[in-house]
Amino acid sequence: MFGIDFSKFPDVFARILLPAINETLYMSLISTFLAFVIGLIPAVLLVLSDKDGLKPNAKLYFTLDVLINTLRSFPFIILIIVLFPVTKMIVGTSIGTTAAIVPLTIGAAPFVARLIESALKEVDKGIIEAAKSFGSSNLQIIFRVMFVEALPGIISAFTLTLIVNIGFSAMAGAVGGGGLGAVAINYGYQRFRPDIMLYTVVILIIMVQIFQILGNFFYKITKK
């Protein structure tokens, strides 16, 4: 098929693909977790300061809105290059798997903030009003009521962000980020190895499908 010798797959997988899979998972999972931690803060502030929020503040909402939209507008490949100095300052180098976590996190955090904001705003207003009537503070309403009610949506947001970061991590391989993207470029494209190019594409598709299935599973559990 396409002149590819599949008998060499076990050796290629053990030597090249398996380490790249581990690097991709390392970059994607850690950056997604960090993006959620960072994105949580502006998401909560957006929900609080919205005109229909618990503590409306038009100036704060406008400032955060513009900042998040600006960061989201950056093409990821350009963001990686722009953040080279920041990445080097944080991890000591701008190249490598660990270095790629910095732009992946910063690139995903605004995306996460919007997703969490949307999930929190979908919570039934009647539940929020009931919590207010019992004397709950704004933070209690946010974290004990809204987050609990919005948990299925937040899980979907985490799943979507993880899948996006898997794609971005492959793009990071173009500028020395490591992982499956680097393998596809260094071996598949530059060394004219269509077999490795095919393997990386199939592995990425399988990886995305697995995380989507897991995300759907946990979504259904929390929805019940």
Side-chain angles (χ1 to χ4, degrees):
M1 181 180 179
F2 305 115
I4 296 174
D5 184 4
F6 290 102
S7 65
K8 296 180 180 179
F9 175 75
D11 178 61
V12 171
F13 183 81
R15 288 188 305 105
I16 300 172
L17 296 175
L18 184 57
I21 291 171
N22 292 333
E23 289 177 351
T24 297
L25 290 174
Y26 168 68
M27 287 187 290
S28 303
L29 289 170
I30 292 182
S31 63
T32 300
F33 172 76
L34 293 175
F36 255 75
V37 172
I38 295 172
L40 178 65
I41 298 171
V44 171
L45 291 175
L46 283 167
V47 172
L48 283 171
S49 61
D50 185 48
K51 62 179 181 179
D52 298 320
L54 298 171
K55 196 172 183 179
N57 187 322
K59 290 183 179 179
L60 176 60
Y61 186 89
F62 176 78
T63 302
L64 289 172
D65 186 58
V66 170
L67 178 61
I68 289 173
N69 288 340
T70 301
L71 291 173
R72 287 178 65 195
S73 67
F74 271 84
F76 183 68
I77 193 70
I78 296 176
L79 185 65
I80 296 175
I81 297 170
V82 169
L83 289 176
F84 271 166
V86 177
T87 302
K88 190 170 184 179
M89 181 178 65
I90 294 174
V91 299
T93 179
S94 58
I95 299 175
T97 306
T98 301
I101 292 174
V102 176
L104 282 170
T105 301
I106 295 175
F111 182 65
V112 168
R114 283 299 187 203
L115 291 175
I116 296 179
E117 179 196 8
S118 297
L120 293 175
K121 284 184 175 180
E122 289 177 3
V123 175
D124 189 347
K125 299 295 183 183
I127 297 175
I128 297 173
E129 292 301 323
K132 286 181 180 179
S133 67
F134 282 105
S136 299
S137 66
N138 289 339
L139 288 180
Q140 286 176 327
I141 293 173
I142 288 284
F143 291 105
R144 294 188 181 182
V145 177
M146 297 180 72
F147 266 92
V148 174
E149 293 294 322
L151 186 57
I154 293 172
I155 289 175
S156 292
F158 186 90
T159 304
L160 179 58
T161 306
L162 178 56
I163 290 172
V164 168
N165 268 355
I166 289 173
F168 280 171
S169 71
M171 197 183 302
V175 287
L180 289 168
V183 167
I185 293 170
N186 296 335
Y187 288 89
Y189 177 72
Q190 294 181 352
R191 300 187 187 184
F192 304 102
R193 292 286 302 272
D195 57 331
I196 293 182
M197 184 72 77
L198 176 63
Y199 297 150
T200 55
V201 171
V202 172
I203 289 171
L204 283 169
I205 291 172
I206 293 172
M207 195 179 293
V208 167
Q209 290 298 321
I210 290 172
F211 284 121
Q212 187 64 64
I213 290 170
L214 288 173
N216 291 342
F217 173 73
F218 287 113
Y219 174 85
K220 290 177 181 178
I221 289 177
T222 54
K223 192 71 174 177
K224 293 179 180 179

